Amino acid sequence: MYQRKIPIDYECGLSVAMEVVGSKWKFCLLDEISKGIKRPRDLVNAINGITKRVLQKQLSELELHGLLSKTIYPEVPLRVEYFLTPSGESLLPLISAVDQWGMGFASQLKVILEGKDSEI
Amino acid sequence: MYQRKIPIDYECGLSVAMEVVGSKWKFCLLDEISKGIKRPRDLVNAINGITKRVLQKQLSELELHGLLSKTIYPEVPLRVEYFLTPSGESLLPLISAVDQWGMGFASQLKVILEGKDSEI
DNA sequence: CAGGATCCGTCCGGATACTG
DNA sequence: CAGTATCCGGACGGATCCTG
């Protein structure tokens, strides 16, 4: 995600993984695309809080890293559809696992953060 | 990990998970601590590229979120040891899975990035 | 509509120093 | 040694504009 000085430790799986999917929205993007939302514009609408610029950047990174690919339909207006490569698909079980873990953890986090808020 | 405007979508597991472990080093930290490296100073030495300040911050966040806890030994010099809470331990399988995925993906990423380098 | 470029404010992280 | 505060430069993200 912003690791360029300690180039990337190819021996460390976590380092590699963080490099590729360590940005805020990448799991979400892969998830949404796997669900069939393929066009940039639809993704902006589907994902709460992402902006066009960031979406564009992260899509291109995912594409560069070989997790995503796209098809360009030379229509007017232009249409582009992203889809998961095999590498991207290999990540889906992990995303699902992370999502489920997060669901299970949500209640705990809620209590913790709201407790903190009330201390103000 | 800088999502404070779109507070946190507790309905979205990915959102919750990213909030808690979406920083660069958190998986690494939990991993190392689970391996028995418990003191901040040892963690700085064990993790390639992290600085004391960032370590401190991420440790405290993990502690705040209830994934980590610590024991303070009132010795001189002061000794502190972090350990995983049950929530933190529940994350280990995921970390392991991410690590393994990263290992498998490393070769592909290497080819891609080195290919890009050689284009310069 | 896709997506790249630019301007610019904000946040993050490195370095350093200080306290207990 | 652990943890916090401060200063400061650089990276990131938002808004906007432009091209195909």
Side-chain angles (χ1 to χ4, degrees):
Chain A
M1 74 180 137
Y2 40 88
Q3 175 166 322
R4 275 305 98 67
K5 307 160 187 179
I6 303 128
I8 288 178
D9 184 354
Y10 290 104
E11 304 307 310
C12 172
L14 288 178
S15 173
V16 172
M18 290 308 287
E19 170 65 22
V20 176
V21 291
S23 298
K24 186 180 178 183
W25 304 101
K26 292 192 175 174
F27 274 1
C28 277
L29 285 176
L30 294 172
D31 189 40
E32 295 294 343
I33 291 173
S34 78
K35 290 177 184 169
I37 301 179
K38 308 181 170 193
R39 304 184 62 183
R41 187 172 185 291
D42 294 333
L43 288 166
V44 172
N45 292 331
I47 300 179
N48 184 20
I50 199 169
T51 61
K52 184 191 169 193
R53 186 182 189 275
V54 174
L55 173 77
Q56 215 75 264
K57 191 189 175 200
Q58 304 213 355
L59 282 176
S60 68
E61 286 175 5
L62 288 168
E63 193 187 357
L64 167 67
H65 290 150
L67 300 182
L68 236 46
S69 190
K70 69 179 173 183
T71 303
I72 303 176
Y73 300 86
E75 309 172 350
V76 176
L78 190 61
R79 183 162 62 103
V80 174
E81 291 189 353
Y82 285 82
F83 56 90
L84 298 174
T85 63
S87 292
E89 287 180 3
S90 73
L91 217 42
L92 292 180
L94 256 71
I95 294 176
S96 167
V98 170
D99 188 37
Q100 287 180 24
W101 182 89
M103 291 299 288
F105 189 71
S107 56
Q108 179 178 336
L109 181 64
K110 207 166 184 173
V111 171
I112 291 171
L113 295 187
E114 290 181 353
K116 289 292 163 182
D117 286 345
S118 65
E119 288 178 8
I120 300 175
Chain B
M1 187 59 170
Y2 36 91
Q3 172 164 320
R4 279 302 98 67
K5 308 161 187 178
I6 304 129
I8 287 179
D9 184 355
Y10 290 104
E11 304 308 310
C12 171
L14 288 178
S15 172
V16 172
M18 289 308 287
E19 170 65 22
V20 176
V21 290
S23 299
K24 185 180 178 183
W25 304 101
K26 291 192 175 174
F27 274 1
C28 277
L29 285 176
L30 294 172
D31 189 39
E32 296 294 342
I33 292 173
S34 77
K35 290 177 184 169
I37 301 179
K38 308 180 169 191
R39 304 183 61 183
R41 186 173 184 288
D42 294 333
L43 287 166
V44 172
N45 292 329
I47 300 179
N48 183 20
I50 199 169
T51 61
K52 183 191 170 193
R53 187 181 187 277
V54 175
L55 173 76
Q56 216 75 264
K57 190 188 175 200
Q58 305 214 354
L59 282 176
S60 67
E61 287 176 5
L62 288 168
E63 192 187 356
L64 167 67
H65 290 150
L67 300 182
L68 236 45
S69 189
K70 68 180 173 183
T71 303
I72 301 177
Y73 299 86
E75 307 172 352
V76 176
L78 191 61
R79 184 162 61 104
V80 174
E81 292 189 352
Y82 285 84
F83 56 90
L84 298 174
T85 63
S87 292
E89 286 181 3
S90 73
L91 216 41
L92 292 182
L94 256 69
I95 295 176
S96 166
V98 170
D99 187 37
Q100 286 180 25
W101 182 88
M103 290 299 288
F105 189 72
S107 56
Q108 178 178 336
L109 181 62
K110 206 167 185 174
V111 170
I112 292 170
L113 295 187
E114 291 181 352
K116 289 293 163 183
D117 287 343
S118 65
E119 287 178 9
I120 299 174

